[in-house]
Amino acid sequence: MAAIPTTIPPPVGEAPPRQRRRRRRERTTVAGLRRSLRRHWTLYLLMVVPLIWFAVFKYIPMSNAVLAFKDYNVIQGIWGSPWIGWQNFEVFFQNPVFWTLVKNTFVLSVYTVAASFPLAIILALALNEIRTGFFKKTVQMVTYAPYFISTVVVVSMTILVLSPRLGIVNEGLGFFGVPAVDFLGNPDYFRHIYVWSDVWQTTGYSAVIYLAALSGIDPALHESAKIDGASRLQRIRHVDLPGIMPTAVIILVLAVGNIMAIGFEKAFLLQNPLNLSKSEIIATYVYKTGLLNADFSMATAIGLFNSVINLVLLFGVNTIAKRITGNGLWS
């Protein structure tokens, strides 16, 4: 006896149910987009300028990355120069300074993230617990103000403070009979000077982001914790920290994704022939190779290598964070 079919085939000329549902969703999406454009056209208009900026200064220049695979000639131009494939990358990888550059960049970046990331959270938690309005605003202003100081000015202040002859630090050491120390001339001090000057400059700004996340936590959670007898530290641990965890994860993922793209300006300004063994990073090497030595193809290849490493780190750390915490850039 033939089996009775469990599904009724669609009439001739009519699409299957799954295809009809997909078309219905597409029509709903298009209709919703049109309604959104009519209602919020001013907001979409505001997005046009940033999108144009990204297209002109970020995405269109990506096409010139082909320079990394060519032997650039000014007369022939980027697209007319001869193709040499992976030769620039091979020369860079075989360069004796390759591993020194990677090590210096990686160590300096990791040190910066490890020092600045938890301190910003601690400062935000401390400010959130302060109940005196004037004192809280004063501390927040004092810690936030250095962010508006130019990097050049910060480096100039650092050089003056740490000067072997006139610096206030060596003046204080001399008061206790300690001989003057050339901090910027000793390679062992370079990373500490770079990182902690950066922490002083950016911690207050980073704390503002966490303060905004803390303000979004439901006060009823704190009230419930107080009724249950939780102390202030316990409320911070079980209410505040989980509340800012999504924000912290995103900031950490972005920081690790840029771990090989540490700032050029401060490293270059603090650099001198005496601390070059620790201060020479990929960004400063690209500047010297591309602009000072006019080897544009090699500089592009090094920069492209650095960008690819950052991209791999970004996706890798985001995947790990997504699996561990459930939060990520695209969650």
Side-chain angles (χ1 to χ4, degrees):
M1 184 176 179
I4 299 175
T6 56
T7 58
I8 301 175
V12 179
E14 186 174 344
R18 181 178 300 177
Q19 189 174 353
R20 292 201 304 271
R21 288 194 297 269
R22 186 175 67 250
R23 291 177 180 175
R24 193 180 302 116
R25 286 196 300 267
E26 291 175 354
R27 288 195 298 268
T28 304
T29 303
V30 173
L33 180 59
R34 290 175 179 173
R35 285 195 301 269
S36 180
L37 286 173
R38 285 196 301 268
R39 293 178 182 177
H40 310 293
W41 65 271
T42 53
L43 298 179
Y44 286 104
L45 186 62
L46 288 174
M47 292 173 57
V48 171
V49 174
L51 289 176
I52 293 175
W53 184 87
F54 272 101
V56 173
F57 294 102
K58 297 294 182 179
Y59 289 100
I60 294 178
M62 286 183 184
S63 61
N64 294 327
V66 70
L67 190 64
F69 304 95
K70 293 194 171 189
D71 184 12
Y72 178 66
N73 187 291
V74 178
I75 298 176
Q76 295 175 321
I78 295 176
W79 300 100
S81 299
W83 182 273
I84 60 175
W86 299 93
Q87 182 176 332
N88 287 322
F89 295 92
E90 294 174 358
V91 172
F92 177 57
F93 296 154
Q94 295 171 2
N95 194 318
V97 303
F98 170 73
W99 289 112
T100 302
L101 293 175
V102 173
K103 177 185 175 183
N104 288 344
T105 305
F106 185 79
V107 172
L108 192 61
S109 300
V110 171
Y111 188 3
T112 303
V113 173
S116 60
F117 179 72
L119 286 178
I121 296 177
I122 293 172
L123 177 61
L125 293 173
L127 289 173
N128 191 56
E129 292 297 321
I130 297 176
R131 297 293 175 258
T132 305
F134 175 77
F135 181 72
K136 179 178 180 179
K137 292 179 181 178
T138 303
V139 173
Q140 190 170 352
M141 182 191 67
V142 170
T143 56
Y144 186 67
Y147 181 77
F148 296 98
I149 302 177
S150 169
T151 302
V152 176
V153 176
V154 171
V155 172
S156 300
M157 293 168 56
T158 304
I159 294 174
L160 290 175
V161 169
L162 299 178
S163 172
R165 294 189 299 114
L166 304 175
I168 188 173
V169 174
N170 279 302
E171 290 287 341
L173 293 176
F175 180 79
F176 294 99
V178 180
V181 180
D182 187 5
F183 291 99
L184 293 174
N186 190 334
D188 295 332
Y189 291 118
F190 173 80
R191 289 170 183 162
H192 304 297
I193 295 171
Y194 182 99
V195 171
W196 292 107
S197 63
D198 189 77
V199 168
W200 173 77
Q201 187 178 11
T202 61
T203 299
Y205 173 79
S206 301
V208 172
I209 301 175
Y210 295 111
L211 282 171
L214 287 168
S215 65
I217 297 176
D218 190 354
L221 296 175
H222 283 282
E223 296 297 331
S224 300
K226 288 180 181 179
I227 294 173
D228 291 338
S231 63
R232 179 171 292 185
L233 291 177
Q234 288 174 329
R235 295 199 304 272
I236 291 175
R237 177 182 176 184
H238 297 288
V239 177
D240 290 338
L241 286 178
I244 65 173
M245 186 59 65
T247 303
V249 169
I250 291 175
I251 292 177
L252 180 61
V253 169
L254 293 175
V256 175
N258 289 319
I259 207 164
M260 296 294 288
I262 193 167
F264 155 80
E265 190 175 9
K266 182 179 287 187
F268 182 74
L269 293 173
L270 288 173
Q271 191 178 89
N272 60 60
L274 297 177
N275 62 22
L276 201 61
S277 61
K278 297 291 180 64
S279 63
E280 188 75 298
I281 60 176
I282 291 178
T284 58
Y285 189 77
V286 167
Y287 166 75
K288 295 174 183 177
T289 302
L291 295 182
L292 300 186
N293 297 334
D295 193 349
F296 302 108
S297 297
M298 178 61 69
T300 305
I302 300 172
L304 183 59
F305 162 78
N306 199 34
S307 300
V308 170
I309 296 298
N310 282 329
L311 183 63
V312 172
L313 287 173
L314 177 64
F315 279 101
V317 174
N318 184 70
T319 302
I320 295 173
K322 181 71 174 177
R323 291 182 177 179
I324 295 176
T325 65
N327 299 307
L329 292 177
W330 304 285
S331 58

